[in-house]
Amino acid sequence: SDLDFKGLPKKNSIVEFVNQHFDILINFSAINNDAATYIYALSKASFKVGYKPNRKINDLIIDLQEDKRYMLVKELIRTLKNF
């Protein structure tokens, strides 16, 4: 299994991903998933975007209802054009 007893990814299975540089990392996760949140939080991405409020992890939060998640990329592009 790639998960430890707490349900978190084992370090050796995620080191390559979290150490890879991304300009932007977008979190589309619709559920609270400790393993995905853990990986997302550890990522070396320069800018993290999500639609769920998590100010400790996300640099940009786009406020959307759950059933409108598909609009995240559209809203992100619109927002980034203003920078």
Side-chain angles (χ1 to χ4, degrees):
S1 171
D2 288 337
L3 303 178
D4 67 14
F5 69 95
K6 294 181 184 178
L8 298 175
K10 292 179 183 174
K11 190 168 179 106
N12 61 351
S13 65
I14 61 168
V15 169
E16 187 176 322
F17 177 82
V18 298
N19 287 322
Q20 186 173 352
H21 174 75
F22 298 101
D23 292 329
I24 298 175
L25 182 60
I26 304 169
N27 184 355
F28 284 103
S29 180
I31 59 171
N32 288 331
N33 180 315
D34 290 339
T37 301
Y38 178 78
I39 293 168
Y40 182 70
L42 287 178
S43 170
K44 304 286 191 251
S46 298
F47 196 73
K48 297 176 185 175
V49 179
Y51 74 96
K52 289 196 170 226
N54 191 333
R55 300 203 187 284
K56 292 180 180 179
I57 299 174
N58 291 317
D59 297 303
L60 176 65
I61 299 167
I62 297 176
D63 188 19
L64 294 171
Q65 296 174 359
E66 289 283 326
D67 62 339
K68 305 270 190 226
R69 272 186 307 138
Y70 65 91
M71 294 180 61
L72 181 62
V73 173
K74 181 179 178 179
E75 290 299 313
L76 176 60
I77 290 169
R78 186 178 63 81
T79 302
L80 291 175
K81 284 182 179 181
N82 291 323
F83 280 98

